[in-house]
Amino acid sequence: MTQPTQPVDLRALDLFAFCRKGESLAGNVAVRDLPRILAETAAQAPASAPDETFAFAATGFVREEAAEPGAPVAQRLFLDVTVQGRVWLECQRCLDPYAESIDTATRFEVAESDEAADAAPMDDDEVDVIAGSKRFSMLDLIEDEVLLALPVAPKHDVCPTVHESLVTGSDGEAQPEAEPEEEKRPSPFAALAGLKNKH
Ligand SMILES: [Zn+2]
C-alpha cells in the first residue's frame, strides 16, 4: 500500500493505475462540493450544513484470479471505499431537520470500460462492478455512496415532539414504538405494489 506521489485530483484519478499500484488515499470532501447531496439536504438544515464534510478512504488492489470458475486467470482490479459523515434530512414524521449518519464500506471491482461493467456477471452480491477510467471521479463515487446510504423514508429515531409527549406520560417511561396509527397505514410503496398487481 503506497500513497500517490503526486497530488490527487479527485475528479480525474487514473483508477487503473491506482488499483494496479495498490495505492490508497483518504481525505475529506465538503457537502458543498457534492451537488446531489446538497439537493437532498433539508431546507431547514443549519446554515453550516454545506460546510460539513464526509471523511473517505479508498484503497486499490489487484487479484490474479479467474473471473468465474474455469475462466483463465486474469488480473482483476478492486477498490475498497469507505465514507463517513452525515446528511441533514427532513424527518417525514415531524418535518424537522435531523442529521442522518452515513457510514459505508463498499468493495468494487473495476472494469475496463462501461461495456465490460455492463457485461459483468450479476451473481456476486458482495462486489459492485464499476467502470474504471483514467480520469475517474472519486468525488462522484463518494456522492453515489452517500446517496445509496440515504433512507427511503427519513425519520428521527424519536421525534423531539413525540419524545416530549411521552415524558408527560403517567409512568414516565418512554415507549419505544408509540406509533400504532402509522404502523397501520400502508406505505406508499405498498400502495404502488398493489396498483402494479392489479394490472
Ligand atoms: Zn421527526
Side-chain angles (χ1 to χ4, degrees):
M1 194 185 293
T2 59
Q3 298 295 323
T5 47
Q6 294 183 339
V8 171
D9 183 350
L10 286 181
R11 296 176 200 274
L13 181 76
D14 184 339
L15 191 57
F16 302 121
F18 185 84
C19 294
R20 287 199 184 100
K21 294 177 190 168
E23 288 182 334
S24 62
L25 66 93
N28 294 284
V29 294
V31 172
R32 89 174 84 77
D33 290 328
L34 303 174
R36 289 179 290 156
I37 305 303
L38 271 182
E40 296 293 327
T41 299
Q44 303 299 318
S48 60
D51 298 325
E52 293 194 12
T53 57
F54 294 100
F56 75 93
T59 300
F61 61 101
V62 172
R63 276 192 198 153
E64 302 280 344
E65 62 184 26
E68 50 196 318
V73 170
Q75 190 180 62
R76 299 174 69 186
L77 307 183
F78 292 90
L79 180 70
D80 281 342
V81 176
T82 63
V83 185
Q84 283 112 28
R86 59 183 194 172
V87 182
W88 283 91
L89 299 175
E90 185 180 271
C91 172
Q92 289 191 355
R93 197 151 48 199
C94 70
L95 303 184
D96 279 346
Y98 76 101
E100 177 78 31
S101 290
I102 303 296
D103 189 357
T104 74
T106 310
R107 172 161 296 174
F108 298 99
E109 179 161 3
V110 178
E112 279 177 33
S113 62
D114 285 325
E115 292 74 21
D118 289 343
M122 300 288 285
D123 54 357
D124 191 341
D125 292 335
E126 294 186 5
V127 181
D128 292 329
V129 180
I130 52 173
S133 164
K134 289 193 172 180
R135 296 182 60 79
F136 183 83
S137 175
M138 192 65 77
L139 220 50
D140 281 348
L141 187 65
I142 292 165
E143 194 173 35
D144 286 344
E145 285 291 280
V146 175
L147 284 172
L148 285 170
L150 295 181
V152 175
K155 279 180 203 163
H156 285 106
D157 287 337
V158 178
C159 290
T161 48
V162 173
H163 186 65
E164 280 166 26
S165 69
L166 285 173
V167 167
T168 60
S170 54
D171 59 1
E173 240 176 279
Q175 291 147 22
E177 278 299 335
E179 308 157 28
E181 287 164 34
E182 183 151 335
E183 294 300 322
K184 283 175 198 159
R185 208 181 301 152
S187 81
F189 298 103
L192 273 177
L195 280 177
K196 267 188 185 168
N197 290 339
K198 280 174 192 165
H199 286 292

